[in-house]
Amino acid sequence: MMNKPELLATAASLEEARALLNAGADALLIGDDRFGMRLAGHFSLEETAAVIELAHGMGRKVYAGLGGLMSNRLLDELPAYVKAIGELGIDGIEFGDPAVLAAVKSEAPGMRLHWNAEMTSTNYFTANYWGRKGASRVVLARELNMDEITEMVPLLEVEAQVQVHGMTNIYHSKRGLVASYMAHQGRPVEDGNLGKERGLFLIEAERRDEKFPIYEDINGTHIMSSDDICILEDLHILLAAGVHSLKIEGLLKPIAYNVAVVKAYRHAVDLYAADPQGYAFDEAWMDGIRALQDPERDLSFGFFYKEQVY
Amino acid sequence: MGTMTKPQFKGKRYRLDKPELLAPAGNLEKLKFAVHYGADAVYIGGQKYGLRSGADNFSFEEMREGVEFAKKYGAKVFVATNIYAHNEDIAGIEEYLRNLYEAGIAAIIVADPAIVDTARRLVPGLEVHLSTQQSTLNWQAVSFWKEEGLPRVVLGRETSLEEIAEIKQHVDIEIESFIHGAMCSSYSGRCVLSNHFTDRDSNRGGCCQSCRWKYDLFQDDRPEGAWVSEEEQAEATAPQRLQPGITQLPLHQPQDNPFSMGSKDLCMLESIPDLIEAGIDSFKIEGRMKSIHYVATVVNAYRKAIDAYMADPEHYELKPEWLEELQKAANRPLNTGFFYDTPDHEDHIYEPEEKAAPYDFAGLVLEYDAESGMALIQQRNNFKPGQEVEFFGPDNTFFKQIVGELWDEAGNQLDVARHPLQRVRMKVDHPVAYFDMMRKRK
């Protein structure tokens, strides 16, 4: 039998963590907003401990996202955090900034490292480079297409993780762009809250039917895709290619939606693992997702079948 | 922002080593102007692996010629090899890097560790500088790249002067910072707007500048309209543009400019002492797509400021004419980026842009005869008798005059110098030199 890939989901709270584990997630990605990048939610050390206890009790894994772009100042806080989550038994750390490598080396040696530079993790050579620096997994850019992914997997000396569902980031600035715009309008926001829960979005002048969510947090301004990746229909291609981890991005989604997504992919992964030859996608698997899909956001194949030029 | 902070890093001890002035060169001709006008080094793009797929870009033959030219001035040539590679790009890297090295290139500017690693292994004599596309912001990351054998890191544009000084204190490495020109408002490399809007890969040179497009800002009305006042709701009259039945609240009013991510351009001319005292080793000017006039003007201004400061730091004063010079080439309003504080609404462009710089490159001085006061000028944009023009050059040529009579080389009098590259004789009010430029107001 094939190696069954891991089904990984992001959680925004302990409540969501529990729900996603019950729905069949093999692993959860959580983290601390100071170090993480576009985390679904912020977890204190106490909450992190609770998620780890819960997940480990079910034989599942918990990874911490430390994919932020680190400033000098943050380096003072980084080692203590890495040490703390190491002692709590976190199963792996996602990183982009090389500063995290140094902190892990000194504070949690032996910790699993997953390299995630988001849109810039685009080739096998660089993934293997980070593999030699200690990473055991690469989180591939969402802008790669299916051919690039499938031809890449056999060339990788590390595991491959691919996002199979949810939204993606398309622009990240350190600037507070929404706050700046409101100040320019002469109507600065009173309570300063321009975060995820506020439901802000942009519409580009010539794309009136696409809503691009935008929010600010301590890492700056984030603009997100107007559609949600959904690869369920063609999941067998990634499974056959030997992708090790399938990520469900739950950012800016209600728990019930993420639960439905995890259940659908859980079902597909299990069926494929049991009988790859007899496996066939069934449109009905989409029902649970479609019932809760935001009607203003399309489900799409993302960049899986796109050709890009430059 | 707007107002400049007083120098923060001026201590008792002044820095002794002069920073490098690094200029863009979109093609061979621009390279020559950049070097002649005072760049210590230039960076160019080759036919592959660069982030300006729309620029002229150099063949290896042109690189060799550029390197030879630069050498006469003691200047170096760097090549931007700063894409994030995809699998298909890997195969040609080795050959390309060998060719660069053989062409005499001093350094490559690299974002992707695939290229860093290949270059270090294959052509150790070729310096590797880490590109700003890596968004390096902290000393530990800088230290990592030093251990990888890199002598220089181009920091992310988000680092402040204070952070740069800290990095220099922690790591003995050359630091290069952008000091002038257009800026990504995103973390460089962390924007795929082009990929999403136009299927063009921004991290391989296909950026279509979607950050400067116009957007409308809305709020989803589903979590209640509690975030804006009732008065604002009443005034929010923008039509519903999506499918019927969708509830959304425009956060813009009819009289408002649209939302945009577009940034003003960076200009640190007024802060030269701060940049030098923070320990920045290389001052980088953006703009491989910019004109000859732009490159020469900007390099000239910074060259003069840096030299004046290094010659006598204690009595250094910014000359207003240097700033005025920059304005003649400016495409957009200017600001100081992240050096002093995080940019806010005054640092972004919401109004419609008038993008054109106010001056044109009218002619290039080829010869000057001191006895007759006549200059031979190569036409670059048409000019005619009676027009006011301005001569400038790296060796203190700087004056305005009215164009008098014009003759072609055969001695025929001209009513206008109308042909591109036409050689025209005219009398000049003061001495000029080969390579001096003549500009005119548009």
Side-chain angles (χ1 to χ4, degrees), chain A residues 29-39 64-72 74-75 78 81-82 93-101 114-118 120 172 174 217-220 222, chain B residues 134-138 141 187 190:
Chain A
L29 179 69
I30 63 171
D32 180 316
D33 273 339
R34 284 175 299 163
F35 309 105
M37 182 73 88
R38 290 176 286 281
L39 298 170
L66 278 78
L69 297 164
M70 313 269 166
S71 63
N72 288 337
L74 214 50
L75 298 183
L78 181 61
Y81 178 70
V82 168
I93 285 178
E94 252 188 33
F95 77 102
D97 195 311
V100 177
L101 292 178
H114 297 172
W115 177 58
N116 183 3
E118 303 234 339
T120 65
H172 176 205
K174 192 182 179 184
D217 64 13
I218 55 170
N219 293 313
H222 311 272
Chain B
Q134 267 285 347
S135 297
T136 307
L137 309 175
N138 67 74
Y187 282 105
R190 301 294 183 130

Side-chain angles (χ1 to χ4, degrees), chain A residues 175-236:
Chain A
R175 300 157 187 250
L177 290 168
V178 179
S180 286
Y181 179 59
M182 290 177 167
H184 168 75
Q185 289 174 311
R187 298 190 296 279
V189 64
E190 273 162 34
D191 62 357
N193 189 343
L194 299 166
K196 286 182 278 212
E197 63 284 5
R198 188 152 174 194
L200 298 171
F201 62 93
L202 295 176
I203 289 184
E204 197 273 317
E206 290 173 18
R207 291 166 178 76
R208 310 289 340 173
D209 57 349
E210 294 182 60
K211 296 170 65 173
F212 296 92
I214 181 170
Y215 69 92
E216 290 187 13
D217 64 13
I218 55 170
N219 293 313
T221 306
H222 311 272
I223 302 176
M224 309 302 293
S225 61
S226 63
D227 52 6
D228 290 312
I229 295 175
C230 175
I231 196 68
L232 188 60
E233 187 178 340
D234 285 350
L235 192 65
H236 58 282

Side-chain angles (χ1 to χ4, degrees), chain B residues 234-302:
Chain B
E235 280 187 42
T237 53
Q240 294 290 310
R241 293 183 174 102
L242 296 185
Q243 302 95 320
I246 287 171
T247 51
Q248 60 195 10
L249 198 58
L251 295 183
H252 51 87
Q253 294 175 8
Q255 73 275 15
D256 287 342
N257 290 309
F259 179 94
S260 173
M261 297 79 109
S263 169
K264 291 185 180 175
D265 284 1
L266 184 63
C267 173
M268 292 299 287
L269 185 69
E270 292 178 88
S271 310
I272 291 296
D274 288 359
L275 298 176
I276 292 176
E277 297 310 323
I280 300 170
D281 299 278
S282 178
F283 292 3
K284 184 175 204 166
I285 298 164
E286 178 276 344
R288 284 196 277 135
M289 308 284 276
K290 298 280 192 343
S291 69
I292 292 173
H293 176 249
Y294 179 92
V295 172
T297 302
V298 174
V299 168
N300 205 25
Y302 279 96

Side-chain angles (χ1 to χ4, degrees), chain A residues 72 97 122-123 126 129 133 148 170-173 180-181 185 187 199 201 203 207-208 296 308-309, chain B residues 85-86 112 138-139 148 166 185 187 192 195 197 199 201 216 218 220 232 242 246 251 256-257 345:
Chain A
N72 288 337
D97 195 311
T122 49
N123 70 73
T126 302
Y129 169 89
K133 301 296 170 199
E148 288 178 304
I170 66 173
Y171 171 98
H172 176 205
S173 175
S180 286
Y181 179 59
Q185 289 174 311
R187 298 190 296 279
F201 62 93
I203 289 184
R207 291 166 178 76
R208 310 289 340 173
E296 296 170 31
Q308 294 179 73
V309 295
Chain B
H86 283 231
D112 195 322
N138 67 74
W139 64 262
E148 289 296 287
E166 283 166 18
S185 60
Y187 282 105
V192 286
N195 307 54
F197 290 154
D199 292 337
D201 189 352
D216 288 326
F218 293 87
D220 218 313
E232 278 176 324
L242 296 185
I246 287 171
L251 295 183
D256 287 342
N257 290 309
H345 68 281

Side-chain angles (χ1 to χ4, degrees), chain B residues 317-375:
Chain B
E317 268 182 50
L318 177 84
K319 288 195 182 164
E321 70 239 36
W322 300 335
L323 264 183
E324 286 161 24
E325 280 293 286
L326 284 184
Q327 292 296 345
K328 290 170 187 170
N331 299 76
R332 299 195 181 96
L334 303 170
N335 78 348
T336 57
F338 282 84
F339 283 104
Y340 295 104
D341 50 15
T342 300
D344 62 20
H345 68 281
E346 290 177 1
D347 301 296
H348 289 93
I349 302 173
Y350 301 104
E351 295 82 8
E353 283 194 71
E354 1 168 352
K355 255 200 89 173
Y359 282 80
D360 269 338
F361 178 19
L364 172 67
V365 175
L366 298 176
E367 290 170 15
Y368 171 68
D369 179 51
E371 212 167 300
S372 63
M374 293 293 286

